[in-house]
Amino acid sequence: MRSRVANGDLPTPLPPVPVPSFWPRVRHYAVPPAMIETATARRHAGDWAGACAAAGVDVDFTLRAVARRHGTDLAARLRADLRHLAPDLLRWHLPRIAPDGLLRPGLTVALARYDLPGRDRADAPHLVARTPPAWADAGQRIGLALWDGSRDDPLTRCHPHPHPSRRFRLDLHRHLWDARRTDELRSRSGADGLAGEARPQGVAAARSEWTTGALPSSLPSWADPRLLDRIPHGRRCAVERWAEEAAVLLDADRPGTTTVAVRVGERRRLALHLKGDAGPVLRQALPGEELPLLPDAATWEPPDLELLRTGTLTPEQLHPLVASALAPGRTPGTGPSGPLPAGQPRHVECRGARHRIGLVDGVLSPLDHDPAEIRREELLVALTGTPLPCLRAIDEAHRHPEWLTGVRERLDHGDLAGALTVVEGLLGPDAVLRDGALRDELETAAQRRISYGLFRAGLPDAPSAHPDGRRARARRGPRPGPAFGTKSRT
């Protein structure tokens, strides 16, 4: 008898299991509301340096040194851009990597180009934002520098990719960091049709919609679907915007060129020819063909648009400048929610009764046991006895708290103040941490700042900082549980 394989009687293959998106967690933790509020207030006051400090951005130049080296005209143009730089918005839009959604390490992103008379465009000074290499990414800080092609700066010498990236560039997308042009986000992201699209109800429907496909519902006539069949799931390409964005790229870099390359996947590039008789023409890029590269910011839809379309987030949960552009009819909120208010007593089932534990004199303590009983129970524990359920709950909160995921996320994204706020609000500002996972996470976060200090000092990845020769922190896989937020504290 012939096998089922020979007869062709095979079951329909199951679709690939979608990878959960990290963007909901990123939008909840990466740019905390306190950072947005402080950076915005300082920017409105004209203190661009204070706004950068509030947003975790280190400025690696002085305007006086720029004026001496490149002239007062360039320094004046640079000062005007810095006064309208929204560093918190820049952090919001910088490229990120899976699985944790951290900033892409070792990246130099061009924010603005300053053409000078008699100097080639490729060598013109650029205002750039830099992310440290992976071994020094503690705190998720960003460096702001003026790149002019020289390698005199120690940070430029030790940076793995000091040259501005062609793929990740924002000088053609100033609406992603310049507060004067944030209204352009709606038109350049394709959000005009967002209001007319139905939003799925519920988290399950939103996750399903996120992974249904990478192409928009209607393609331009020149876009051949057969060329777009390998786009990774979980991302949606902005095909309808490619022609206009390609024209912007060519006007800025190659006025006499009519073709751009579009990167749609790992080692997969398409070529978009603009000035044809029948309109744009999309084809497979030829091997070794040198073409201007369409930036990722123009190739893909922004994740915020997809999060709104699927109902995963509401406009009130986005950055206020992003929400006002993508949802102009809604009143923008204050951004992502911060740490939940703490200090409320929690309940524990203790010896057949419902007892409370809460903060007393800055320390988490049982509220329904008198001090004498607590001293007796602590002595019993010292003699290897079984403690009260209330004491066990307090010990568990110190060693393996259920809200550790939220603290870890904040530490990973550099929100040390937010993480300490959560810990102090739940354990008390005077609590002494006991051995356990919480203390290990806080100690690791403090030790990893040394690696970033070495990088800022212009030193290489010292073996003494990493005896095992690996990066400062091993990446964790996708975490189970809710997409963001802390668990119940009851």
Side-chain angles (χ1 to χ4, degrees), residues 197 214-220 236-237 240 301 309:
E197 297 189 16
L215 298 178
S217 56
S218 60
L219 290 175
R236 291 172 65 96
C237 59
E240 67 279 1
E301 282 189 355
R309 180 183 290 115

Side-chain angles (χ1 to χ4, degrees), residues 284-353:
Q284 187 71 40
L286 301 177
E289 190 175 13
E290 294 292 338
L291 297 172
L293 181 63
L294 193 68
D296 266 27
T299 304
W300 307 99
E301 282 189 355
D304 297 324
L305 185 61
E306 191 67 20
L307 295 176
L308 288 178
R309 180 183 290 115
T310 59
T312 307
L313 294 182
T314 63
E316 292 75 18
Q317 295 174 289
L318 298 178
H319 191 289
L321 294 177
V322 175
S324 61
L326 297 183
R330 302 280 294 272
T331 302
T334 58
S337 58
L340 297 176
Q344 299 296 326
R346 284 162 281 171
H347 296 86
V348 177
E349 295 295 333
C350 181
R351 294 182 177 179

